[in-house]
Amino acid sequence: MTTWTDRTADRPISLTAPSGIDRAAHHRLDEAWLAAAWSHPSTRCFVVSGGQVLIDETPDGRTELVMTPSFEAPLTEAHRYFLGTDEDGVSYFALQKDSLPGRMDQSARPAGLREAGLLLAPRDAGLMAHAVALENWQRLHRFCSRCGERTVIAAAGHIRRCPACGAEHYPRTDPAVIMAVTDDDDRILLGRQVHWPEGRFSTLAGFVEPGESIEQSVRREVQEEAGITVGPVEYVASQPWPFPSSLMLGFMAHATSTDIEVDGDEIHEARWFSRDELGAAFESGEVLPPYGISIAARLIELWYGRPLPTRAVF
């Protein structure tokens, strides 16, 4: 499998830049170390609730996670997740709560990852993505899949253990493929899902099925959704997508057929676009580009040769 590692677009893929955080997984089972880290005056923490955190704008125009020293943190019981340490030895924790705390200065505001991921610096975006993924998994996996008993949190939020049968459950990540499909005329295939607003088009995507390679998944999804057969498949890059628990694996794929037949269940409409046709459709508003945080935008840009318009719907 060849890759596009050296041919990625100038704009980085959101949520993939180095965060400078060492997840320090070897500390997750060391309760004494975790207790000492939590009580250290340099430790910082933030609350995550329903996939949202508090963000705030600094006087110099940057956007940051609202974090506090651990001794100022709201009370919580077991829902405290160790996220890692930075190069200065500062430890970071996320606290899962039913609601976000209020702010006395009223300047901070709640935001989800789709918005905040575009605004935050890599360190904060990485911490938020980690916390949101853990929170989603924790909320959805409270009971043992083997015996049905309620599980308990362990490993600083990265394991749930069953006290009845002893099973250990780990955070779930579902692999999904997302692909920019082009044909012999160097057109790109874009589709519109049934629940999307009129005019919004993006690359095709779908989940990897059991017993299937990622290349097979690319070919199957394109065939199922648009009736197009695919030949060569080239890996580009991946992107964590905790909505709630996916890892997007991005590809460029070459079509060996061009007659479109959408499935009608997931894809309502699909079209081939030349660069001139897509540019004109963007300009007229006939086509809305994918939301900027998605790897889909970077895949389209690799083919398009320049940044997509910033106008987007979500």
Side-chain angles (χ1 to χ4, degrees), residues 2-13 178-182 186-190 203 233-238 249-253 273-275 278 282 290 292 294-309:
T2 56
T3 76
W4 283 59
T5 303
D6 297 326
R7 290 180 278 170
T8 51
D10 291 337
R11 293 173 62 196
I13 299 171
I178 183 167
M179 42 277 175
V181 180
T182 58
D186 202 21
R187 299 178 299 172
I188 194 169
L189 177 68
L190 300 179
T203 53
V233 173
E234 297 182 88
Y235 173 74
V236 178
S238 63
L249 306 167
F251 293 86
M252 303 297 288
F273 292 91
S274 69
R275 290 176 182 80
L278 187 60
F282 284 149
S294 171
I295 190 176
R298 302 293 86 76
L299 292 175
I300 296 172
E301 284 178 350
L302 279 174
W303 165 83
Y304 195 48
R306 56 186 184 274
L308 302 186

Side-chain angles (χ1 to χ4, degrees), residues 22-33:
D22 177 359
R23 294 197 174 196
H26 57 288
H27 289 310
R28 292 173 185 167
L29 295 172
D30 189 339
E31 294 297 335
W33 187 94

